Amino acid sequence: MKTLKIAQIGFGTVGQGLLEIIQTKSKDLVETEGVEVRVVAISDFQKGSVADPDGIDIGRALEAVKDGGSLDSYEGGSHGWDALTTISECGADVMCEATFTDLETGEPAISHVKAALEKGMHVTTTNKGPVVLAAREMMDLARKNGVQFLFEGAVMSGTPTLSFAMKNLAGCTISKIEGILNGTTNYMLTEMEAGKDYDIALKQAQELGYAEAVPDADVEGFDAAGKVVILANLLLGAAIGPKDVDRTGITGLSIGQLEKAAKDGLRYKLIGSAEKTATGIAASVKPIALPLADPLAGVGGATNALTFHTDLLGPVTVVGAGAGRVETGFALLQDLLDIARSN
Ligand code: HSE
């Protein structure tokens, strides 16, 4: 049996989601994958830290941070380590990065990822910052250090999207990607169409763990634009940044417009797309009123959908969860199992 020692950096919605999954599935993972996932460190800039090479009791760690609590109240282990000290001292095989996303600087996540890769640790992250701004650099650094840098959760949470395209569609040429790439806004549009106010729909999306730390990233389309950048750079051979995406969010859409669209047999969706053109890449995020018969019009709630336009298969569409605690935690688990299988 293999033991995979992990350090969890960032212990918010997603980090807690991963640990809940590990707690629930530990027996299955041993039986079906022959892997014991042992959490040896957790560090969060607001919730404190704990490290124990013999393994942290996940139930007690989750309990410690309930209702605004701190990991410092966890009995035993070492405390007071910030993220970089944790990465340097904890002896983990894999660093799971799930701190908040900053699409302008990529920090603090880029520093965390670099430190872990340079230390010879594999990295899995759901943080879009390092993937949008420095995916190639991080992948090169990982290769140089003989480890993996995986980020399945950066697009469509745990719904297999990036690994699916990179592994299963390898050999196809992808000319275009398009779809619904943000769970928060899709949830909000669905709720607003059913009569909820914008503010209530946003608050619910936050409570359900879909929204970014600063939800402007969702409603102004920055999050979806980041995902378009990731997909364009990894799958279409582009080298674009967030500023290259022609971006409009949903803040300009009124309930009146949604109602009018519904009367006309249309439904607004925030659509992200990137397409190879004769001169480069055309990338955009914008609300589009789709005919109800369009398959994307039927994708409601926090569900996302992404179509890959390929030469050998034609269009291939993946539909599934786009955000959420367990749904995104599962993306980290997929990467962990990928690492366990290939090492
Ligand atoms: N805020 C993001 C969304 C989280 O709503 O899709 C997943 O990337």
Side-chain angles (χ1 to χ4, degrees):
M1 190 178 67
K2 280 185 194 167
T3 299
L4 206 58
K5 290 182 277 174
I6 71 163
Q8 179 61 48
I9 305 297
F11 201 39
T13 308
V14 176
Q16 292 179 36
L18 172 66
L19 263 59
E20 280 169 15
I21 298 174
I22 295 172
Q23 187 182 35
T24 320
K25 298 262 178 182
S26 59
K27 207 162 149 264
D28 290 356
L29 292 173
V30 169
E31 279 168 15
T32 59
E33 297 283 333
V35 180
E36 179 216 354
V37 182
R38 185 187 300 167
V39 183
V40 295
I42 308 171
S43 180
D44 183 283
F45 87 113
Q46 279 176 328
K47 299 183 175 74
S49 75
V50 59
D52 185 340
D54 295 328
I56 290 164
D57 181 319
I58 295 178
R60 285 204 289 124
L62 290 168
E63 193 56 40
V65 296
K66 247 194 186 164
D67 305 321
S70 164
L71 288 167
D72 299 333
S73 68
Y74 179 103
E75 265 180 49
S78 308
H79 293 273
W81 292 0
D82 64 11
L84 291 174
T85 308
T86 301
I87 291 163
S88 139
E89 302 300 321
C90 73
D93 306 304
V94 188
M95 192 263 291
C96 302
E97 221 287 350
T99 62
F100 60 92
T101 289
D102 181 329
L103 286 179
E104 280 184 13
T105 65
E107 294 293 357
I110 287 183
S111 298
H112 299 162
V113 173
K114 267 192 186 161
L117 295 174
E118 279 164 358
K119 182 93 189 159
M121 260 178 214
H122 303 284
V123 170
T124 164
T125 186
T126 54
N127 192 315
K128 286 146 276 188
V131 193
V132 170
L133 300 171
R136 290 276 161 216
E137 191 193 329
M138 297 299 129
M139 285 158 97
D140 288 347
L141 190 59
R143 210 169 297 124
K144 221 167 87 190
N145 287 282
V147 290
Q148 286 172 270
F149 172 56
L150 300 176
F151 40 84
E152 182 56 54
V155 176
M156 281 179 70
S157 69
T159 304
T161 310
L162 295 170
S163 60
F164 168 69
M166 290 194 277
K167 289 181 190 166
N168 300 97
L169 298 180
C172 282
T173 300
I174 302 172
S175 54
K176 180 178 178 181
I177 56 94
E178 67 182 330
I180 297 169
L181 293 169
N182 180 266
T184 300
T185 47
N186 205 49
Y187 175 85
M188 289 174 68
L189 290 174
T190 307
E191 294 296 303
M192 284 161 68
E193 213 187 71
K196 283 232 170 84
D197 281 345
Y198 176 98
D199 289 340
I200 293 176
L202 174 57
K203 194 160 171 280
Q204 283 178 343
Q206 289 176 298
E207 282 164 5
L208 289 163
Y210 302 150
E212 296 299 298
V214 180
D216 285 3
D218 297 294
V219 296
E220 299 287 3
F222 292 105
D223 175 76
K227 291 165 179 165
V228 166
V229 168
I230 294 172
L231 292 161
N233 289 350
L234 288 168
L235 306 179
L236 304 184
I240 60 170
K243 292 200 168 67
D244 299 311
V245 181
D246 179 11
R247 175 192 50 76
T248 308
I250 65 160
T251 47
L253 277 183
S254 64
I255 296 269
Q257 273 171 290
L258 299 187
E259 282 169 357
K260 161 97 177 45
K263 271 192 204 128
D264 296 342
L266 301 170
R267 180 172 286 150
Y268 274 100
K269 292 289 171 191
L270 187 66
I271 302 294
S273 76
E275 181 171 16
K276 285 181 187 165
T277 65
T279 49
I281 293 283
S284 67
V285 169
K286 55 186 169 208
I288 298 182
L290 299 170
L292 292 182
D294 188 303
L296 290 183
V299 175
T303 304
N304 283 185
L306 180 64
T307 302
F308 305 94
H309 293 268
T310 75
D311 56 348
L312 304 180
L313 282 174
V316 180
T317 301
V318 178
V319 182
R325 181 184 180 94
V326 168
E327 294 85 343
T328 313
F330 172 58
L332 293 169
L333 180 68
Q334 284 177 61
D335 288 344
L336 287 173
L337 295 180
D338 196 345
I339 290 164
R341 286 177 191 149
S342 49
N343 289 279

